[in-house]
Amino acid sequence: METTIIIPCKDGLPYTKACLKSIRNNTSTPHKIIVIDDGSKPETKKFLKQIRGITLISNKKNVGFPAACNQGMLRCKSDFFVIMNNDVEVTKDWLKLLLYNMHKDEKLGIVGPMTNYVSGPQIDPNAHYNSTEELERYAESIKNRKPPRLEFFPRIVFFCVLIRTAVYKKIGGLDLNFGLGNFEDDDYCLRAHLTGWSCAIDHSVFVHRYGSKTFKKIGKGFGK
């Protein structure tokens, strides 16, 4: 069965283009993409309406990250779904590797990858690259890296996260009391844990996030 990929976005069109392109180029696992346009400017709205093969939800105003994600979850009919920031670029087999963990452990409810820019243990201090090609080579190099690929941890940051739909059916969506966003992912992981689900970080999966100092040094052309 396909996995649903939920991508909320508000403007940041170059990032969204790069994100969707990376998914297209690096995801062999069956998937469906839902993009929530959260009150973007006309340029972004026009671009998203022209993309074939995605489900587009358009909000007239910015409802915030938690509410936008919940809109995508309501449309989800698959056993697993991904929540992804639009400033993420995925690498080869990212989804296949994350799903492997879910199929191996039925009590695993939430799993996330490593990246170059995040708070907490999901940041990879050894990630250094200056082009898309170097990024791909680095991601490939860590697939069989030690220590063990899966680390159970109570907090997974939702910049890119795979969630078992059974968790959503048990605890519902993200808490709208967090407004436009911040700490809704901490809260969700805690709620999942309290109902018997575990959370983990897969150290063999690496994705890139824009907004890092690394990308500012790379310049024009990276991720195009």
Side-chain angles (χ1 to χ4, degrees):
M1 178 181 280
E2 64 185 10
T3 299
T4 304
I5 302 174
I6 300 167
I7 308 174
C9 71
K10 176 173 170 53
D11 299 312
L13 184 55
Y15 300 139
T16 303
K17 288 181 177 180
C19 177
L20 292 173
K21 182 178 180 180
S22 74
I23 294 172
R24 183 173 67 248
N25 292 341
N26 296 297
T27 313
S28 58
T29 305
H31 62 279
K32 172 184 179 180
I33 298 175
I34 299 176
V35 176
I36 300 91
D37 171 28
D38 203 15
S40 296
K41 295 178 181 177
E43 180 185 10
T44 298
K45 291 182 179 297
K46 180 179 179 181
F47 170 78
L48 292 174
K49 287 179 180 179
Q50 294 173 346
I51 301 179
R52 295 181 179 180
I54 70 168
T55 297
L56 177 62
I57 300 173
S58 295
N59 295 328
K60 293 182 179 180
K61 63 178 182 178
N62 181 14
V63 299
F65 184 79
C69 289
N70 288 351
Q71 287 178 290
M73 292 183 208
L74 284 172
R75 298 283 191 97
C76 179
K77 297 180 180 180
S78 54
D79 291 335
F80 305 95
F81 63 89
V82 171
I83 292 175
M84 183 183 296
N85 288 359
N86 69 322
D87 67 342
V88 166
E89 282 200 36
V90 299
T91 55
K92 185 178 179 181
D93 293 332
W94 69 282
L95 183 54
K96 178 181 178 181
L97 292 168
L98 292 178
L99 283 168
Y100 171 82
N101 299 297
M102 293 293 200
H103 294 309
K104 188 177 180 181
D105 183 354
E106 293 184 356
K107 295 306 294 181
L108 180 60
I110 301 173
V111 63
M114 301 291 287
T115 191
N116 59 298
Y117 188 73
V118 71
S119 62
Q122 284 177 267
I123 190 165
D124 187 340
N126 299 311
H128 304 291
Y129 43 87
N130 292 290
S131 67
T132 302
E133 292 74 22
E134 290 181 10
L135 165 61
E136 290 293 344
R137 284 197 295 270
Y138 182 75
E140 186 69 25
S141 73
I142 71 169
K143 286 184 179 178
N144 296 306
R145 185 175 64 179
K146 302 298 181 181
R149 60 189 303 225
L150 199 65
E151 174 189 1
F152 289 93
F153 194 76
R155 171 184 177 261
I156 307 300
V157 183
F158 282 13
F159 66 90
C160 176
V161 62
L162 177 66
I163 301 174
R164 194 182 295 271
T165 302
V167 175
Y168 168 68
K169 290 181 178 179
K170 182 72 174 181
I171 68 175
L174 300 181
D175 191 335
L176 299 185
N177 287 319
F178 290 96
L180 294 181
N182 270 331
F183 304 111
E184 70 283 338
D185 44 7
D186 301 65
D187 171 76
Y188 203 80
C189 291
L190 176 60
R191 288 158 54 201
H193 179 72
L194 291 174
T195 53
W197 300 99
S198 58
C199 306
I201 302 166
D202 191 335
H203 285 258
S204 70
V205 184
F206 184 89
V207 302
H208 180 83
R209 290 188 73 192
Y210 281 95
S212 71
K213 294 180 181 179
T214 302
F215 252 64
K216 293 178 181 178
K217 296 178 180 178
I218 288 169
K220 185 178 180 180
F222 186 77
K224 303 298 183 182

